[in-house]
Amino acid sequence: MSKTELRFTIIFASVMLALLVLLASPNFALLRGATPQQQQPTAPAASAKATDNGGANKTIRIVRSPLRTVQDPNPSFSSVAVDPTRDEIVVEDENRDQILVYGRLDNTPAQAALTEPKRVIGGSRTRVSENCGLYIDPFSGDIYSVNGDQANYMTVWSREKKGNADPDRTVDTPHRGFAVAVDEGAKELFLTIEHPPAVVVYPKEVDGNQVPLRILEGDKTQLAEVHGLALDTKNQVMFVVNQGPTSSNTPDGGWQRDIKPGSPTVEWTNDDQRWKYLVPGSGRTLPPSITVYPLKASGDTAPVRVITGPLTQLDWPVHISLDMDRQELYVANSVSDDILVFRATDNGNVTPLRVIKGPHTSISKPHGVFADTKNGELVVANFGNHSSTVYKLDANGDAAPLRMIRSAPANAPAPMFGNIGTLAFDTKRDQLLVPN
Amino acid sequence: MAYPQIAAFARLANGDVAPVRSIAGQSTMISRADHDLQYNSATDEFVNANPEAQAIMTFRGDSDGEAKPIRIIQGPHTQISFPNHGIGLDNVHNELFVVDKEFILVFPRTAVGDVAPLRVIRGSDTMLANARGMLVDPVRNLLLVGTNNGLLVFDRTANGNAAPRAIIYGPVSGIVKRKPASQTEALSEARGGGGGPAIGSIRLSPKGYVVSVRGRVAEPQDRAGAPAADGKTTNGLPAGITAWSLDDIAKIHGRGDLAPAFVLSSPTGKMAGGSIALNPNEKEVFLGGLHSMEVYSFPEIF
């Protein structure tokens, strides 16, 4: 045996001996891949003391693969917008935290699994997360995307960007942003905040943690878990969708309190502190509504009109879109699988002008809606069936879509998971309860 | 944030599946930001919070569709502010505990309407900071609360500015404030969106283990195929379902850094998320996070 072989043999034997000693130790149980039946868990430490860290080696460490995993591998559409200049449909994929760009006339054949997008923006560098609000600059084609939960940003994307890229602009927003719209005449950008409810207005070219121009918030506004937003620049009003739950800000509360006089920047109070500026016990659940304000409204301004009441059929309304020429409002009504159409001048407890609803529509848990007035079409983002469906702008009743873009095979299940904040097991029904 | 339903999935659901029930709609009075839900097997009810409307709502166990809550605690006397984490049920003493960021409210379990709490644990001595997960043990008369200051242990009947009898915190226990695993997570934490407290969702197994998830959990980009910014795990630790003995916790007075009895990790070092539920019948642990759930067999703790 050469010296090299001898050295190798000694090292190998030493390693094997050390491994055997380690595995034989009663305090070490790394049971990689073992089934529960194969394992011999020891009893828990019975004499742990107040500052006992000597118990660390009593921890039984187990490595085990999950028995089951439930997740949707397919994009789920939470918002939609059309770029009529470039003939594109852009959707927010809230399930996989991506922005997808399709051809406007794309139509997934019935036998096809899905339609591939022309462009995908997604990945850790993008900061896109639980994205739910969308605007396309009609001039540049830039995409404005609002994050809905964990990451408090709005990101802005030029047409050149794709894949796991850095956004052109990242705007710090209050927690729980939802929808975005722009008054191109005034170059003002409107952003809704679900709760504490507000509409925050920025210069259109906002970047970083720049202060907003004004904030609409307060009890008189009747804002309550705010979602969609539409601007009527012709008549100088804005329409805001409210789902209902709300509570009151303290007199020195509200998002406005974060804006320091003279400061060009703002640090929004985080969620762990924001609750201190809510009045305890002031909570209430208002009926769902569409509230209408002057376009320049700020502070605690009451709406000039409110569409609300049982005749409206509003049931967790989400996004909204306005046809300024026809003066019609399109509302994605998520729970009852329909699109409600109102006159822009409606007020109070009114019946919708039209309702697009029925088995032929393929509408399922609609979240996004966009009135493409150039092409006379209405585009819907269906969160419940991985699709975007297109109708004539004046469609009514159980109308079949003109076209459909699917991101998954037809009838693929949609768990519709969001950020699962808690779980509970129903032992009577053997079911798992999963809130979003 | 899209659809704030409470969905029910069959226990054996696997892969891409639809829920068997969905409680959703205006009548339910559910809102988003619901971070604790408790099923009460003794009464066949489940309890959740609507933090935006400052309400605690109880539903029948078989609720479906536009079901209305059968009881709602809401109103100026309740002192509720933003109860988006931590609900505790005590069927023995018929009490309902509600975590509200920096204080805890205790109501009669069947309270309805604008009722004042029976007890309020609140004040600087309580060390309740960003309180999240909670569990009540009527046997050992303990109340456990996950906070940024660690796992706080109170007497079950604590009231007012009560100091915790024990604080479990430190590297041995694994209860330490998470370090952000990526730039996105760090920025999110700074803005308050997804910051990691020392310990979040906690559950009690029938065998007397306090169960939670420690370490880094999967982010959306993990599933999208893009690596996290640093590609590392939190504090060098893989995510793990961690179980401490409640009997050992009960022996601690003052500060303690108690080693867990068990840590179950996945081969990838990542897990679905920090939300947790236990199925004592089949000895399973369910985890939930961003857009996904996982089920692990964990008979050692049942």
Side-chain angles (χ1 to χ4, degrees):
Chain A
M1 185 179 288
S2 69
K3 283 186 177 177
T4 305
E5 288 170 333
L6 181 63
R7 191 176 299 129
F8 175 79
T9 304
I10 291 170
I11 291 171
F12 180 77
S14 302
V15 169
M16 291 305 292
L17 185 62
L19 196 59
L20 282 170
V21 168
L22 191 61
L23 289 173
S25 167
N27 292 331
F28 184 88
L30 183 64
L31 305 174
R32 180 178 294 273
T35 63
Q37 291 72 26
Q38 292 170 312
Q39 298 164 16
Q40 298 297 320
T42 58
S47 59
K49 295 179 182 173
T51 55
D52 178 12
N53 61 7
N57 60 358
K58 293 173 184 163
T59 299
I60 295 175
R61 296 190 177 277
I62 302 163
V63 177
R64 190 174 290 157
S65 297
L67 296 170
R68 303 181 292 281
T69 301
V70 181
Q71 67 179 35
D72 186 345
N74 305 299
S76 291
F77 299 161
S78 58
S79 184
V80 65
V82 176
D83 183 344
T85 306
R86 296 154 198 89
D87 264 344
E88 290 178 341
I89 287 180
V90 181
V91 292
E92 297 275 33
D93 166 16
E94 188 174 312
N95 184 47
R96 297 180 63 85
D97 304 291
Q98 302 175 119
I99 301 166
L100 309 179
V101 182
Y102 294 92
R104 187 181 68 81
L105 297 175
D106 282 353
N107 190 15
T108 310
Q111 67 278 16
L114 52 85
T115 294
E116 292 286 352
K118 294 166 60 176
R119 185 160 61 111
V120 178
I121 298 168
S124 57
R125 287 169 57 188
T126 66
R127 303 184 188 178
V128 171
S129 174
E130 296 183 86
N131 40 321
C132 55
L134 196 56
Y135 174 76
I136 301 174
D137 186 318
F139 307 105
S140 66
D142 286 356
I143 296 170
Y144 292 67
S145 170
V146 181
N147 288 343
D149 190 15
Q150 299 239 335
N152 301 327
Y153 304 115
M154 180 184 70
T155 55
V156 184
W157 303 89
S158 58
R159 290 186 53 76
E160 294 73 33
K161 291 294 178 70
K162 63 181 179 181
N164 188 15
D166 294 314
D168 292 283
R169 280 185 279 151
T170 303
V171 180
D172 292 22
T173 65
H175 189 40
R176 301 190 186 90
F178 195 84
V180 58
V182 173
D183 175 354
E184 290 291 351
K187 299 297 177 195
E188 291 183 344
L189 182 148
F190 293 64
L191 175 75
T192 62
I193 308 300
E194 287 179 286
H195 184 82
V199 179
V200 182
V201 185
Y202 292 96
K204 183 190 171 191
E205 298 303 322
V206 59
D207 198 4
N209 59 352
Q210 188 175 335
V211 292
L213 299 168
R214 58 186 183 273
I215 301 175
L216 177 67
E217 62 181 343
D219 283 356
K220 290 179 186 170
T221 65
Q222 300 181 41
L223 294 171
E225 199 176 78
V226 175
H227 279 70
L229 172 73
L231 308 182
D232 181 350
T233 53
K234 187 189 292 184
N235 295 297
Q236 289 290 294
V237 293
M238 64 173 142
F239 301 86
V240 181
V241 173
N242 305 280
Q243 289 195 353
T246 194
S247 46
S248 301
N249 293 319
T250 58
D252 66 337
W255 296 106
Q256 186 68 39
R257 75 178 306 280
D258 289 339
I259 298 173
K260 309 304 177 196
S263 174
T265 60
V266 57
E267 293 293 329
W268 298 110
T269 300
N270 68 34
D271 211 36
D272 295 343
Q273 299 298 315
R274 172 59 62 192
W275 66 274
K276 293 178 179 172
Y277 306 103
L278 297 171
V279 177
S282 63
R284 56 210 180 267
T285 302
L286 304 174
S289 68
I290 299 166
T291 44
V292 189
Y293 308 89
L295 203 53
K296 300 293 184 184
S298 67
D300 193 5
T301 301
V304 293
R305 281 179 285 126
V306 181
I307 300 171
T308 189
L311 293 177
T312 65
Q313 304 178 40
L314 292 168
D315 198 351
W316 281 5
V318 189
H319 280 292
I320 187 172
S321 187
L322 173 72
D323 178 343
M324 225 174 331
D325 298 329
R326 297 165 67 110
Q327 283 293 295
E328 290 181 351
L329 279 170
Y330 300 84
V331 182
N333 206 32
S334 65
V335 174
S336 47
D337 297 332
D338 49 41
I339 302 297
L340 307 177
V341 187
F342 295 95
R343 294 178 183 87
T345 53
D346 277 345
N347 192 17
N349 186 17
V350 293
T351 304
L353 187 63
R354 299 189 299 280
V355 179
I356 307 172
K357 180 183 179 71
H360 295 99
T361 66
S362 295
I363 293 173
S364 176
K365 302 295 171 276
H367 278 56
V369 62
F370 188 92
D372 175 3
T373 53
K374 179 182 175 185
N375 296 294
E377 293 181 341
L378 186 72
V379 186
V380 176
N382 297 293
F383 197 63
N385 63 8
H386 312 98
S387 79
S388 175
T389 44
V390 183
Y391 309 86
K392 289 181 180 173
L393 207 47
D394 58 358
N396 192 14
D398 190 11
L402 303 171
R403 300 183 303 280
M404 174 189 284
I405 296 171
R406 276 188 286 106
S407 63
N411 302 318
M416 295 190 290
F417 287 149
N419 184 14
I420 301 172
T422 181
L423 295 170
F425 191 73
D426 177 342
T427 48
K428 182 173 182 181
R429 294 165 193 81
D430 231 17
Q431 293 176 351
L432 189 68
L433 299 170
V434 187
N436 276 339
Chain B
M1 186 66 186
Y3 198 61
Q5 66 176 348
I6 296 175
F9 290 84
R11 180 182 74 82
L12 292 173
N14 195 12
D16 182 13
V17 294
V20 294
R21 281 186 288 152
S22 171
I23 301 141
Q26 221 68 53
S27 304
T28 67
M29 302 175 74
I30 294 170
S31 76
R32 57 160 295 171
D34 174 12
H35 294 150
D36 203 1
L37 178 73
Q38 294 282 347
Y39 176 73
N40 190 340
S41 58
T43 60
D44 191 23
E45 297 171 341
F46 61 87
V47 185
N48 83 324
N50 179 332
E52 298 178 358
Q54 300 175 327
I56 308 299
M57 306 185 301
T58 301
F59 293 84
R60 295 187 198 285
D62 62 355
S63 292
D64 196 6
E66 294 244 16
K68 294 178 180 175
I70 55 174
R71 294 190 296 278
I72 303 173
I73 302 172
Q74 185 183 40
H77 291 96
T78 66
Q79 303 184 36
I80 297 172
S81 283
F82 199 74
N84 67 333
H85 287 281
I87 291 172
L89 288 172
D90 178 354
N91 285 325
V92 175
H93 304 94
N94 228 20
E95 291 183 335
L96 169 65
F97 292 68
V98 179
V99 163
D100 205 325
K101 294 294 188 187
E102 293 184 5
F103 56 96
I104 293 169
L105 305 169
V106 187
F107 297 96
R109 189 184 60 76
T110 54
V112 178
D114 184 16
V115 293
L118 300 169
R119 301 188 297 281
V120 180
I121 307 171
R122 184 171 196 163
S124 56
D125 291 348
T126 66
M127 299 187 68
L128 291 166
N130 194 19
R132 294 200 165 200
M134 166 201 273
L135 65 84
V136 186
D137 177 16
V139 177
R140 299 167 186 81
N141 273 319
L142 296 177
L143 170 66
L144 275 64
V145 189
T147 72
N148 277 6
N149 289 319
L151 181 62
L152 308 185
V153 185
F154 293 91
D155 292 324
R156 182 187 58 78
T157 56
N159 194 13
N161 188 18
R165 53 181 268 173
I167 302 165
I168 316 298
Y169 188 91
V172 175
S173 67
I175 303 175
V176 289
K177 189 166 171 59
R178 290 197 305 145
K179 288 181 181 174
S182 65
Q183 184 187 29
T184 299
E185 198 173 292
L187 290 166
S188 176
E189 180 169 357
R191 305 291 175 233
I199 187 165
S201 182
I202 50 177
R203 297 286 187 254
L204 181 62
S205 82
K207 210 169 172 178
Y209 291 106
V210 176
V211 189
S212 186
V213 176
R214 309 301 313 134
R216 184 184 167 222
V217 297
E219 294 175 58
Q221 53 264 34
D222 296 328
R223 292 185 305 105
D230 59 7
K232 295 177 182 174
T233 58
T234 306
N235 296 334
L237 294 172
I241 304 170
T242 305
W244 302 267
S245 161
L246 186 51
D247 284 336
D248 288 348
I249 288 174
K251 292 171 189 167
I252 294 175
H253 291 271
R255 291 184 174 273
D257 190 6
L258 178 70
F262 298 96
V263 176
L264 188 154
S265 305
S266 77
T268 64
K270 297 173 186 174
M271 290 181 152
S275 302
I276 192 164
L278 307 182
N279 169 14
N281 298 333
E282 279 80 18
K283 300 178 173 46
E284 294 172 332
V285 177
F286 295 82
L287 301 184
L290 275 169
H291 317 301
S292 69
M293 292 192 311
E294 289 175 343
V295 190
Y296 290 86
S297 175
F298 202 166
E300 294 84 352
I301 62 170
F302 291 95

